[in-house]
Amino acid sequence: MVNHFLTIADYSSEKLHELLYQAIELKKLYKDGGRDLCAAGKTIAIFFEKPSCRTRVSFETLANQLGAATIYLKPEDVGSLGQREPIKDLMRVMNGMVDMFVGRVFKHSDLVELAKWATIPVVNALCDKYHPCQGMADIMTAYEHLGDLKGKKLTYIGDGNNVSASLAWACFKFGMTFCVARPDGYDMPAELYQQLKSQGATDENIIVTTDPKASVENADVIYTDTWVSMGQEEEKAKRIKDFQGYQVNMDLVKLANDNVKVMHCLPAYRDLEITDEVIESPYSVIFDEAENRLHFQRMLVKDLLQR
Ligand code: CP
Ligand code: NVA
C-alpha cells in the first residue's frame, strides 16, 4: 500500500508524535547549516488549483534542501482535474515520471481519486475539507512554545473550515482540548464530529460554542483563520456581517491565559478576523508558525519518500 498524507485522521497519534520529534531534529540540523540530501535525483510534482504563498514556497524550498527537483503545475498547464483527461490517466502518467504528487485542490474527493490510482505518495496541500500540513506545522509551533501539549487548550474562533477541521484532528491526536467558537451556520461538518467521537473524542475535549469570550477562558492557544476562504469570495459581504463579534482582538486575548499564544495560518485580513495589534503583539507566534510549514513538511516528505 502507498503512503499518502491526505488527512491527519489517517495517521496514528504515535506516528504523528514521531514525525513531530523528527521534524524538530531536522529543523535543528538545517538551522545549524547541515544538509540531508535523501531525495537527491527525485522529482516532486506540485499541482495547485488555487493561489499559495507559504505552501508553494515551503514545498519548493524543502525539495531543493533535500536534493529533489520540483515541477510546479497549474490547471493552465495540465488542465483542470478531470476535465482535460480523467484523473486516473493523469495520475498514472505521474506514477511513471515523478516520485511524489503534492496537490492543492478544490475537492477533497479529487485527492482521494488521485490517491486511488497513485503508486507514489500524494500529499494534501489544502482542499475544501482539510489542510493537514498546516495543522501539523501548527502543532509543531505550539509544542515549541508551550512544551508538552497534553491537556493544553486550543481555542479556534471563526469559520468551521478546512483549517479548523485539521486542527481539530491534530489537537485530538496530541491530547489537547479543542474549543471552537463560531456563529450558527458556520460549524464544522457533523460527520467530522462523528469521526472524532468514533476515535474516542469526548464532549470534554471537543467543545463547541457561539460565545468567543467564554471560549478563550484558560486557552493556551487562540487561533483564527479568514472568514472568507478561497472560492467563497461571492459570500464575502454576508460572511463579514455574520462573523461580527468573532474578531480576535486585544480585549479577547486578555481573557485567556497570561502566556497564551496567538496563531493564524495566514494570509490574514487585518482588522477583520484579527487585529493588526494582535498580529504584531508579543502574544503572536504567527511567523514562527509560517516558517514551520517548511520544517514540518521537510520531515514529512523525507519520511514519505523513504517508506
Ligand atoms: N497557510 C497557507 O497555506 O498559506 P498559502 O495559501 O499562502 O499557501
Ligand atoms: N481557509 C483558508 C486557508 C488558506 C491557507 C482557505 O481555504 O482559503
Side-chain angles (χ1 to χ4, degrees):
M1 189 184 129
V2 190
N3 287 293
H4 305 295
F5 189 64
L6 300 188
T7 80
I8 290 174
D10 297 340
Y11 276 56
S12 70
S13 174
E14 291 71 25
K15 181 66 187 174
L16 292 167
H17 278 81
E18 182 188 307
L19 284 171
L20 168 66
Y21 300 140
Q22 289 173 335
I24 289 169
E25 284 298 307
L26 199 58
K27 176 175 177 177
K28 185 171 180 330
L29 177 85
Y30 274 79
K31 290 272 183 195
D32 290 346
R35 285 293 177 265
D36 179 348
L37 297 175
C38 61
K42 307 240 180 195
T43 302
I44 300 174
I46 301 176
F47 171 77
F48 277 23
E49 291 188 321
K50 305 181 188 185
S52 169
C53 166
R54 283 141 289 272
T55 310
R56 180 179 175 190
V57 174
S58 54
F59 274 107
E60 298 264 13
T61 302
L62 72 85
N64 179 40
Q65 291 176 340
L66 295 174
T70 57
I71 307 174
Y72 181 64
L73 302 166
K74 294 194 282 188
E76 299 93 285
D77 304 315
V78 288
S80 298
L81 279 181
Q83 289 186 24
R84 184 163 180 260
E85 58 187 322
I87 287 177
K88 62 184 177 181
D89 290 5
L90 175 80
M91 194 66 232
R92 284 178 292 179
V93 172
M94 294 289 157
N95 287 338
M97 296 189 188
V98 302
D99 301 283
M100 180 177 285
F101 186 91
V102 175
R104 168 168 285 199
V105 304
F106 281 97
K107 292 188 340 222
H108 183 70
S109 55
D110 284 350
L111 282 176
V112 172
E113 177 71 1
L114 283 159
K116 182 177 156 191
W117 294 95
T119 56
I120 56 174
V122 175
V123 174
N124 183 351
L126 181 147
C127 64
D128 53 344
K129 286 186 161 183
Y130 305 108
H131 197 0
C133 293
Q134 182 70 54
M136 282 304 297
D138 299 337
I139 283 290
M140 184 171 172
T141 310
Y143 178 76
E144 287 175 337
H145 283 275
L146 298 169
D148 187 16
L149 295 176
K150 207 165 169 43
K152 298 266 188 329
K153 178 180 174 186
L154 184 150
T155 293
Y156 177 93
I157 300 175
D159 188 20
N161 61 16
N162 45 6
V163 169
S164 69
S166 284
L167 273 176
W169 276 111
C171 287
F172 173 64
K173 299 278 183 176
F174 283 83
M176 297 177 78
T177 296
F178 180 78
C179 179
V180 54
R182 85 293 176 270
D184 287 331
Y186 292 96
D187 204 359
M188 298 187 295
E191 73 168 350
L192 184 117
Y193 292 107
Q194 284 155 13
Q195 287 164 353
L196 282 160
K197 297 244 162 99
S198 75
Q199 286 204 19
T202 66
D203 290 341
E204 269 88 66
N205 46 37
I206 305 276
I207 302 162
V208 184
T209 175
T210 51
D211 183 347
K213 286 188 179 143
S215 76
V216 296
E217 195 180 317
N218 297 322
D220 300 291
V221 178
I222 296 175
Y223 199 116
T224 190
D225 181 20
T226 180
W227 297 332
V228 189
S229 284
M230 290 180 277
Q232 297 173 334
E233 290 78 7
E234 285 181 7
E235 300 170 30
K236 186 172 176 182
K238 175 172 169 33
R239 283 175 165 267
I240 289 175
K241 191 161 149 274
D242 292 349
F243 281 100
Q244 287 312 304
Y246 286 82
Q247 183 186 68
V248 174
N249 53 38
M250 217 40 114
D251 289 343
L252 197 69
V253 171
K254 293 241 165 82
L255 299 175
N257 281 349
D258 291 346
N259 190 36
V260 70
K261 306 298 172 202
V262 175
M263 300 175 70
H264 190 306
C265 58
L266 300 177
Y269 299 90
R270 280 172 164 76
D271 301 325
L272 285 178
E273 76 272 9
I274 188 167
T275 59
D276 182 72
E277 187 183 13
V278 171
I279 293 178
E280 303 301 337
S281 76
Y283 296 105
S284 166
V285 294
I286 288 171
F287 292 97
D288 291 350
E289 180 188 358
E291 184 184 326
N292 275 337
R293 296 295 307 282
L294 170 70
H295 301 303
F296 177 74
Q297 290 157 211
R298 188 171 48 219
M299 186 57 229
L300 175 72
V301 167
K302 175 177 154 79
D303 185 78
L304 287 169
L305 287 174
Q306 286 177 346
R307 270 189 233 166

